[in-house]
Amino acid sequence: MDEICTGLCRLMVDSGADAGLAQFVSLLVGVLLVSGVPLLTVILLIWIERKVAARIQDRIGPNRVGPIGLMQTFADLLKLLGKEDITPTAADRLLYNVAPLVSFASVVLIWAVVPFTPFHYGVDLEIGVLFFVAVASFGTLAIMVAGWASNNKYALLGAFRVVSLLVSYEVPLVFALLAPVMLAGSMSMLDIVNAQSGMWFVVLSPLAFVIFYVSSQAETGRAPFDLIEAESELVAGFNIEYSGMKFGMFFAAEFLHVFTNGILMALLFFGGWMGPLYYESPLIAFAWLGAKGGIIYLTTLWLRNTVPRLRIDQIMAFNWKCLVPLSIANIVLVSLALKVLQELDMAPRQLIGASLVDMLPATIVLLIINGALTIYLLGILRRRGKDARREAQAAPVQFARASAD
Amino acid sequence: MNVLNEWAFIGVFAVMAPVFPALPIVIAWLFRPRKPNVLKSSTYECGVETIGDTWVQFRVQYYIYGLIFLVFDVEMVFLFPWAAAYNEMSLFGFVAGFLFIFLLTDALFYAWQKNALDWK
C-alpha cells in the first residue's frame, strides 16, 4: 500500500498537481483499497452466516435468489432500500441517526491496521494492537448511544446490559492481548506476525488465545453471551426503534465484527500468513491468512448456533470471578517463565527470525505451565459446580428471578 | 512512510469510515416512502402507551461494573508499553511491572470481598 500511495503521489506531483492535494488523493486511494476488503466481504458474510446457521439447524437456508442463494444479500439490500425509515418523535434525532454510522465505522476502522500480506497493508502502526483496542470500544459507545437516543424502555434496558457486558469482557480481552505483545516485544501487527516464524503464539500461550476467543465472542454479542438482543425479554434490545437501512447497518457491523475478530485471531495467534510457500507470492500469503481467519470465523458461528443463552448474573460472575483472574495469572506466569528461560539462554530474546529449534525448549515449558493452570482452573470449577449442585438439591425448587434487570 | 504520513492515513480512514455506512442510508433516503403518522412514530412498546420517563437513573449495579472497568482499563493501557519493552527490560522494570499487576489484582480481590462483583 505504501508503494502504491507514494508512487501515485509522485506521479501526480510530476504531472503538475499541488503536492498537498496529491498526497491527500493518494491517501484516499489507499484508504479505499484497504477498506474495500471488509466492505466486499461483508456482503458475502451475511450469506455465509445465514447458510451456516441454517445447516446447523437442519434447514436449507437461502437458496432461491441466484445460484445456491448467493444473490440473497442483494435482494435484501434492495428491499431495505425501499423500507420506510421511522424516527420516533420521542427520540433524540441527532444521536439516533449517528449511532448506526459509528457502529459500522468502528469495525471498518480496525482494518486500517490489519496487514493482509507481508507487503500489503494500510499502515503498520507502532501501536497497532492498542489502536485496535481503542477503535473497537467505539462499537460499545454506538450501542449505548442507540439505546439512549431511542427513548424506549426496552432499548435502554438492552443498552445498559450491553454496556455492562461489553465493558466487562473488554478486561480479559485486553489482558489476553498482552501475551502476543509480550512475546513479540512489539505492538505492531507486522512484528507480531513475523515473530511467529518459529512457533505460533497459540502454542506458546494457548490460554491467552482461549480467553481472547471467549471474550471476543462476548464483544460481538454472540451466543452464549447474546442477551444484548434477548428477543424473548427485550423484543430486540437496543435496536428496537430502528428500521430500514439504519437497522441493517447495525447487523452489517455485527457480521463484519465477527469476521474481523477471526482475522485478528489468525494474525495474533495463528501466525497470520505463515504457511508453506507464503514467501513465494503475496497471493499465497493472503490465502493462508484468509483460510486461517475463515476457519476461526466458522467455529465462532458453530459456537453461536450450538449453545444456549446465559443469564446476566452468570455472565458477569464468569467474567469477573473466572476470566479476569485467569488472564492475570496467565500473564504473570508466562512473563515469569519466559524471563527465566531468557536468562538461562534457553529462549531467544528476539523472536523475529527465530527458528523452530530455537523455540522448542520455551514451547515445552510454556505448554506445561499453561496445562497446569488449565487443570487447576478446571479443578476449581468442578468443585464450585459440585457445591452449587448440592445446594440446589438441598433447597427445594427456588426459581431465579426471570429477568435479572 | 514517515510517522506523520501514517497518522494522515488513519485520519483519512477515520473520516471515510462513517461515509461507507452513510452512503446506503442516504441512497435509501432518496428512494424510501415517507408516510409518517402519529401512531407510527410513537415509542414502540407492543401497542401499549408508554408510561413515565425513560431517561431516569436506574440500577446502581451497572454503575459499579463501569467503575471497576474504568480502573482496569486505564491501568491495562499502562501495561502495554511494559509488555512491548519486555525483551529489553532490566530486572527493576520487570519487578516494577509485577508490582503494578499485584496492585491491580489486589483491587480485584477487594471488590470481590466487598461483593461488588455479585449481581444483586
Side-chain angles (χ1 to χ4, degrees):
Chain A
M1 225 49 73
D2 197 0
E3 298 94 69
I4 297 173
C5 285
T6 356
L8 193 69
C9 190
R10 198 164 298 135
L11 199 72
M12 286 177 71
V13 173
D14 286 347
S15 56
D18 180 52
L21 184 75
Q23 197 188 13
F24 177 72
V25 171
S26 53
L27 281 174
L28 198 65
V29 170
V31 166
L32 290 178
L33 279 174
V34 172
S35 54
V37 177
L39 292 175
L40 290 177
T41 36
V42 75
I43 296 173
L44 193 65
L45 287 179
I46 297 170
W47 175 81
I48 294 175
E49 179 101 26
R50 295 180 60 179
K51 206 73 179 170
V52 170
R55 282 301 177 188
I56 289 175
Q57 293 159 4
D58 203 11
R59 295 183 285 121
I60 294 169
N63 68 339
R64 292 284 160 154
V65 194
I68 52 171
L70 265 172
M71 295 289 125
Q72 183 66 44
T73 310
F74 294 99
D76 287 343
L77 206 67
L78 277 177
K79 187 196 74 177
L80 279 177
L81 281 179
K83 285 285 174 191
E84 187 172 357
D85 184 58
I86 304 162
T87 309
T89 35
D92 184 326
R93 285 193 81 89
L94 176 70
L95 292 181
Y96 179 85
N97 288 319
V98 162
L101 303 187
V102 176
S103 177
F104 194 81
S106 74
V107 183
V108 176
L109 207 50
I110 296 174
W111 287 78
V113 293
V114 169
F116 303 113
T117 75
F119 315 107
H120 299 83
Y121 49 86
V123 281
D124 180 39
L125 287 187
E126 271 176 41
I127 55 158
V129 172
L130 207 57
F131 179 83
F132 153 67
V133 174
V135 167
S137 53
F138 268 99
T140 317
L141 188 70
I143 292 174
M144 185 69 217
V145 166
W148 182 264
S150 297
N151 200 353
N152 179 312
K153 292 193 183 69
Y154 290 123
L156 194 68
L157 266 177
F160 269 127
R161 283 181 175 193
V162 177
V163 172
S164 56
L165 173 93
L166 296 195
V167 140
S168 300
Y169 275 84
E170 205 168 302
V171 175
L173 182 106
V174 178
F175 254 114
L177 275 177
L178 278 173
V181 170
M182 203 159 55
L183 288 166
S186 166
M187 281 190 264
S188 131
M189 288 284 189
L190 218 55
D191 283 351
I192 289 179
V193 176
N194 285 331
Q196 299 179 58
S197 58
M199 184 59 78
W200 290 356
F201 286 168
V202 68
V203 185
L204 292 177
S205 180
L207 269 178
F209 168 69
V210 171
I211 295 166
F212 189 88
Y213 187 93
V214 171
S215 33
S216 67
Q217 187 83 355
E219 284 288 309
T220 46
R222 290 311 182 87
F225 308 104
D226 64 339
L227 47 79
I228 295 170
E229 291 149 30
E231 291 90 347
S232 43
E233 313 146 49
L234 296 175
V235 196
F238 70 94
N239 57 23
I240 183 169
E241 290 286 9
Y242 283 89
S243 54
M245 215 37 151
K246 288 177 200 158
F247 176 78
M249 277 307 136
F250 278 117
F251 269 84
E254 186 188 318
F255 291 147
L256 189 58
H257 198 173
V258 181
F259 183 66
T260 309
N261 276 335
I263 289 288
L264 278 172
M265 278 184 258
L267 284 168
L268 293 169
F269 292 100
F270 285 86
W273 50 76
M274 302 277 175
L277 297 175
Y278 79 91
Y279 38 79
E280 291 288 340
S281 141
L283 219 57
I284 299 177
F286 186 62
W288 273 114
L289 177 65
K292 287 173 187 173
I295 289 171
I296 300 169
Y297 168 70
L298 285 177
T299 61
T300 61
L301 289 192
W302 184 10
L303 186 68
R304 185 223 172 166
N305 287 299
T306 309
V307 289
R309 183 186 304 151
L310 292 171
R311 273 199 331 257
I312 190 159
D313 57 327
Q314 295 167 331
I315 288 180
M316 288 302 183
F318 176 66
N319 178 63
W320 287 107
K321 295 174 183 175
C322 176
L323 270 190
V324 173
L326 177 68
S327 57
I328 295 175
N330 180 46
I331 286 302
V332 168
L333 285 179
V334 166
S335 61
L336 207 62
L338 204 63
K339 204 69 183 171
V340 169
L341 284 171
Q342 281 180 349
E343 293 301 323
L344 294 174
D345 276 331
M346 282 167 75
R349 280 177 186 276
Q350 183 55 268
L351 263 64
I352 298 175
S355 71
L356 186 63
V357 184
D358 298 335
M359 295 303 299
L360 218 51
T363 307
I364 293 167
V365 172
L366 285 175
L367 265 183
I368 291 171
I369 289 175
N370 271 284
L373 195 57
T374 312
I375 290 168
Y376 179 64
L377 174 82
L378 289 179
I380 293 178
L381 288 179
R382 190 155 164 243
R383 217 163 44 238
R384 287 284 169 88
K386 263 185 187 164
D387 289 348
R389 272 195 297 278
R390 197 175 306 129
E391 260 176 46
Q393 269 176 358
V397 185
Q398 219 179 28
F399 288 108
R401 276 176 297 170
S403 163
D405 295 306
Chain B
M1 211 185 262
N2 59 40
V3 175
L4 186 70
N5 216 339
E6 275 184 0
W7 286 101
F9 183 88
I10 296 286
V12 175
F13 210 127
V15 173
M16 285 303 290
V19 174
F20 301 128
L23 223 57
I25 292 178
V26 169
I27 295 170
W29 178 75
L30 293 173
F31 289 108
R32 70 177 193 224
R34 283 182 190 76
K35 286 175 189 156
N37 63 38
V38 180
L39 274 181
K40 214 188 266 177
S41 46
S42 66
T43 300
Y44 175 74
E45 222 162 89
C46 310
V48 186
E49 252 179 64
T50 178
I51 300 169
D53 227 354
T54 309
W55 294 334
V56 291
Q57 289 187 337
F58 143 102
R59 213 178 159 83
V60 72
Q61 190 64 44
Y62 294 111
Y63 179 68
I64 293 172
Y65 279 129
L67 269 183
I68 304 171
F69 159 75
L70 204 63
V71 173
F72 272 87
D73 209 44
V74 172
E75 303 205 0
M76 249 162 355
V77 172
F78 289 123
L79 276 176
F80 269 98
W82 178 76
Y86 179 79
N87 289 330
E88 297 107 48
M89 209 162 7
S90 65
L91 190 66
F92 176 74
F94 187 66
V95 174
F98 265 85
L99 202 64
F100 194 74
I101 295 177
F102 171 74
L103 289 175
L104 205 63
T105 323
D106 194 41
L108 179 69
F109 279 99
Y110 178 76
W112 198 332
Q113 287 302 312
K114 285 274 175 190
N115 290 330
L117 302 181
D118 288 330
W119 185 266
K120 287 186 286 277

